[in-house]
Amino acid sequence: MQLTDFEALSFDCYGTLIDWEAGIGAVLGPWAHEQGLSLGAEELLETYARAEAREEEQTPAALYPEILRAAMRSLGASLGVDVTAEQSERLATSVADWPAFPDSPDALAALASRYKLVILSNVDRRSFASSNARLGVRFDAVITAEDVGSYKPSRRNFEILVNTVRGLGVEPGRLLHVAQSLFHDHAPAKRLG
């Protein structure tokens, strides 16, 4: 495979371009400390990620801030700790503060001169707008869970991606999906070729 074989690059955003772990960790770490929990950062993030994936599967039409609120409550329940409305709201509104990986803006700017760039993300439009400001590039298309009505790894999200890219004039086989998550992105993208 050669990168020059492609006309379009689709990106997962969180974990790939935006540092999801740092963003979530900035809220969960202090919360866990306040609660006297002795979990390491990695274990806390893994436990949280399972809670978030469950919420996305159970309520696919919910907007991402709602998912974050529910996942925070679920995390607390799984750890035997009550979560206040203020604590769940802190996580629900934190996306705007999540940092971009240092190389993301420059890399995207360079890639935009050669490829059509598309976002396929498990957030809502409002949350993504804050992140896009950090990335500093205009994407040719943005597809969020809010637009699709489901969360990755749903096949539907990737079918909409393929149709959207086709609408941009990209030939079949000329799209490369770029992502960090095997669960949310690599496996379902591979199934659709």
Side-chain angles (χ1 to χ4, degrees), residues 92-113:
T93 59
S94 69
V95 177
D97 299 324
W98 297 359
F101 286 110
D103 60 346
S104 292
D106 290 343
L108 287 169
L111 291 169
S113 68

Side-chain angles (χ1 to χ4, degrees), residues 19-92:
D19 192 343
W20 180 91
E21 288 185 9
I24 294 278
V27 176
L28 295 184
W31 169 80
H33 180 73
E34 290 168 11
Q35 304 307 312
L37 298 171
S38 59
L39 294 169
E42 188 172 323
E43 185 180 0
L44 184 60
L45 285 170
E46 287 174 7
T47 304
Y48 172 79
R50 287 190 297 273
E52 184 177 297
R54 265 192 318 275
E55 293 300 328
E56 291 170 347
E57 184 178 358
Q58 292 171 358
T59 56
L63 293 179
Y64 193 60
E66 296 167 27
I67 295 292
L68 292 173
R69 283 183 199 96
M72 183 71 180
R73 290 189 302 269
S74 178
L75 173 65
S78 72
L79 298 173
V81 176
D82 288 331
V83 173
T84 67
E86 181 183 326
Q87 290 166 334
S88 63
E89 190 62 22
R90 190 175 315 140
L91 183 62

Side-chain angles (χ1 to χ4, degrees), residues 7-10 115-119 138-143 160-172 174-175:
E7 297 173 35
L9 303 175
S10 58
Y115 302 96
K116 292 184 183 338
L117 303 181
V118 179
I119 286 289
R138 189 190 72 73
F139 290 91
D140 295 281
V142 173
I143 306 162
I160 289 174
L161 169 63
V162 168
N163 288 335
T164 298
V165 170
R166 190 174 299 130
L168 294 173
V170 176
E171 297 295 321
R174 305 277 288 166
L175 167 66

